[in-house]
């Protein structure tokens, strides 16, 4: 999985917290610079977490809780109870996010400190996701009517993270889910049903060295 709105907001707020006097453009530039060198799984926190024992609610703790210690990219919510807003990030998606952070840093790098319009346009160029990977897994969600389709698509979407993790459990496989799904046009000539949503997962097979 990838980051949601809460996670991105916390990341930006952390930069504002560290450098409160910077103008907006400089905050964006510092955003990519700092997170391109961030030592994950070191957690991003706006405040220190509090564990109110009397409240009885679980609080994220990467040192004491074995389950939390496995999180790849912990971004912790500031309010009690502190939770990891990115528990769905896998090793492969973290790798992809890190690559985009480094790309953003390189694109916005300016010797005189002034980012040009051309650099901003390059930063927001569309993703080349479907040109990056040689192989894909396609997941088709079909149903008899629109009401069932909505429920079915949401359920499948909630399970893709587990499917990606099961793929990555195999040595040599990296799995990168595309963050959006596509609606197959009903009018398009195809053997697919008229109600059909498509999910895609890019696959990268790493070279395995034989063990002797």
């Amino acid at each position: 999985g990838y980051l949601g709105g809460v996670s991105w907001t916390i990341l930006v707020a952390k930069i504002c917290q560290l450098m409160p006097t910077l103008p907006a453009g400089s905050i964006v530039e510092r955003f990519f610079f700092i997170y391109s060198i961030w030592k994950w799984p070191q957690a991003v926190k706006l405040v220190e977490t509090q564990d109110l024992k009397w409240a009885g609610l679980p609080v994220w703790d990467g040192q004491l809780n074995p389950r939390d210690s496995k999180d790849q990219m912990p971004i912790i919510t500031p309010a009690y109870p502190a939770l990891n807003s990115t528990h769905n990030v896998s090793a492969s998606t973290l790798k992809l996010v890190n690559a985009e952070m480094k790309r953003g840093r390189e694109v916005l790098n300016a010797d005189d400190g002034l980012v040009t319009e051309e650099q901003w346009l390059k930063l927001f160029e569309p993703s080349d996701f479907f040109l990056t990977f040689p192989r894909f897994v396609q997941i088709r969600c079909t149903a008899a009517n629109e009401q069932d389709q909505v429920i079915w698509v949401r359920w499948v979407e909630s399970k893709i993270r587990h499917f990606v993790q099961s793929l990555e459990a195999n040595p040599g496989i990296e799995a990168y889910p595309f963050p959006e799904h596509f609606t197959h046009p009903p009018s398009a000539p195809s053997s697919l049903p008229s109600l059909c949503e498509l999910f895609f997962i890019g696959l990268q097979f790493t070279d395995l060295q034989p063990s002797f």
Side-chain angles (χ1 to χ4, degrees):
Y2 296 98
L3 281 63
V6 170
S7 302
W8 289 116
T9 301
I10 294 173
L11 290 180
V12 174
K14 184 65 177 180
I15 303 302
C16 295
Q17 189 181 65
L18 294 172
M19 305 171 185
T21 61
L22 289 182
S26 297
I27 287 175
V28 175
E29 187 273 329
R30 288 288 92 185
F31 175 93
F32 285 103
F33 176 80
I34 288 177
Y35 292 120
S36 68
I37 60 174
W38 192 268
K39 302 300 183 183
W40 304 106
Q42 177 182 336
V44 173
K45 300 179 181 179
L46 298 179
V47 297
E48 288 303 314
T49 57
Q50 295 184 355
D51 190 357
L52 305 179
K53 302 293 186 182
W54 55 268
L57 297 175
V59 174
W60 186 92
D61 191 320
Q63 294 182 337
L64 297 180
N65 299 332
R67 181 177 179 181
D68 294 340
S69 66
K70 298 178 182 179
D71 289 339
Q72 300 282 336
M73 189 182 184
I75 300 173
I76 311 305
T77 56
Y80 178 84
L83 302 172
N84 179 19
S85 62
T86 54
H87 67 278
N88 60 334
V89 171
S90 67
S92 294
T93 50
L94 173 59
K95 183 178 179 180
L96 196 60
V97 171
N98 278 333
E100 285 300 303
M101 291 294 184
K102 292 176 182 178
R103 186 185 75 86
R105 180 188 68 187
E106 294 168 358
V107 169
L108 296 181
N109 183 38
D111 295 333
D112 57 1
L114 299 176
V115 179
T116 65
E117 181 179 357
E118 182 180 356
Q119 287 173 289
W120 287 117
L121 292 174
K122 185 173 180 60
L123 178 66
F124 294 105
E125 286 179 348
S127 168
D128 59 354
F129 183 89
F130 290 97
L131 300 177
T132 301
F133 304 102
R135 298 175 180 85
F136 293 88
V137 172
Q138 182 191 89
I139 301 174
R140 301 176 182 177
C141 300
T142 64
N145 56 70
E146 292 185 4
Q147 183 178 359
D148 289 345
Q149 179 73 340
V150 170
I151 298 173
W152 180 224
V153 168
R154 289 176 179 173
W155 187 88
V156 170
E157 194 170 23
S158 70
K159 301 300 179 183
I160 287 181
R161 171 172 65 94
H162 302 288
F163 180 52
V164 168
Q165 290 174 344
S166 68
L167 289 173
E168 292 183 337
N170 297 279
I173 296 181
E174 296 178 356
Y176 301 88
F178 192 73
E180 299 178 356
H181 59 85
F182 299 89
T183 299
H184 186 267
S187 58
S190 172
S191 59
L192 297 176
S194 58
L195 290 177
C196 182
E197 301 287 331
L198 304 175
F199 294 87
F200 290 90
I201 300 173
L203 296 181
Q204 188 75 48
F205 296 95
T206 59
D207 292 332
L208 297 179
Q209 297 297 327
S211 56
F212 299 97

